Amino acid sequence: MIRWIWAFLDRPAQRFDDCAKFWSTVTDTQLSPRRGENDEFLTLLPDPALFAAAGIKMQAVTGLGGVHLDLDVDDIAAAARIALERGAELVANHPDYAVLRSPGGQTFCFTPSGRVKGRPAPAVHAPDGTLSRLDQVCLDIGPADYDAETRFWKSLTGWEFQHGRLPEFARLRPAQQLPVQLLLQRLGADRPTSAHVDLSAADMDATAAWHESLGATVVHRREHWIVLSDPGDTPYCVTARDPHGV
């Protein structure tokens, strides 16, 4: 059902330009012209020479930043009905897209398919040659919602479900080449489901240091990942995974 998936970075309007510059740099993309009624949207465009399709968009928002998903489908009305049958809530129904909320509270959109052709963008070389790639959206789920939220996303995507190396993680991987996969993280305390992006990194310490030089801040370090906040004070992670997606 899902033809393409977009990681949508929602960032505070007052820091949006700084955030756009930061994410454009760390993903080695160019900023599209701004669009929308208030010039609130843009797309991060890979180098045309790569013959790669974009998979990341940004939106200037009031309040705190976050992440939502845009899912390109052939039939928006049919996809919305399926999601509603599985426990989603309809937030807004527009002529060319639908906004929904998962059972645990994560916002996502169904958007028209057929606009994207190509393969996801490859890993990015930092100035020191270190490779990294924004390739994952992590859904942060409270324990009370975890089972229902996991069933919802498994059913909605139809992707391969894999348990993680730590018990609080599981992963949904698409069979086709798409820009991002989904990581499901069971939190230690209940709260509405939210999301952040993860970058895979061949050397996560080197990648985190590069991001710091561009305006990010390290929040804390774990064995397999480093939590940072971007110039909009929105958290994300650099993780010790193969940026080639193997």
Side-chain angles (χ1 to χ4, degrees), residues 160-179:
E160 179 187 2
F161 179 79
Q162 300 174 340
H163 290 287
R165 55 187 169 186
L166 297 175
E168 64 267 34
F169 293 105
R171 185 170 281 111
L172 287 168
R173 293 182 184 272
Q176 69 272 44
Q177 279 196 320
L178 293 179

Side-chain angles (χ1 to χ4, degrees), residues 7-84:
F8 226 118
L9 311 183
D10 304 314
R11 295 299 185 261
Q14 65 271 26
R15 300 299 304 276
F16 189 75
D17 289 341
D18 291 338
C19 290
K21 180 180 179 181
F22 173 83
W23 287 105
S24 173
T25 301
V26 301
T27 59
D28 192 23
T29 53
Q30 297 296 315
L31 302 178
S32 76
R34 300 275 285 267
R35 59 188 182 276
E37 185 176 349
N38 299 302
D39 290 335
E40 69 268 37
F41 299 110
L42 61 79
T43 303
L44 300 182
L45 301 172
D47 185 340
L50 297 174
F51 298 101
I56 309 167
K57 294 182 179 180
M58 299 188 67
Q59 177 180 6
V61 298
T62 58
L64 301 176
V67 172
H68 75 269
L69 298 168
D70 272 13
L71 308 175
D72 285 3
V73 295
D74 293 332
D75 188 327
I76 292 173
R81 284 195 297 270
I82 291 171
L84 293 173

Side-chain angles (χ1 to χ4, degrees), residues 136-140 169-172 181-185 198:
Q136 186 167 267
V137 171
C138 179
L139 301 176
D140 302 308
F169 293 105
R171 185 170 281 111
L172 287 168
Q181 62 186 3
L182 298 181
L183 183 69
L184 310 175
Q185 178 179 202
D198 290 342

Side-chain angles (χ1 to χ4, degrees), residues 18 25-26 40 47 56 59-60 63 71 85 92 106 132 142 144 146-147 153 155 170 183 196 216 218 226:
D18 291 338
T25 301
V26 301
E40 69 268 37
D47 185 340
I56 309 167
Q59 177 180 6
L71 308 175
E85 290 169 358
Q106 174 61 42
S132 62
Y146 187 78
D147 290 343
W153 289 104
S155 178
L183 183 69
H196 67 267
V218 170
I226 300 172

Side-chain angles (χ1 to χ4, degrees), residues 218-239:
V218 170
V219 177
H220 66 259
R221 297 174 183 268
R222 299 287 294 271
E223 181 181 359
H224 301 297
W225 68 90
I226 300 172
V227 181
L228 301 99
S229 61
D230 72 6
D233 293 326
T234 306
Y236 69 99
C237 294
V238 171
T239 68

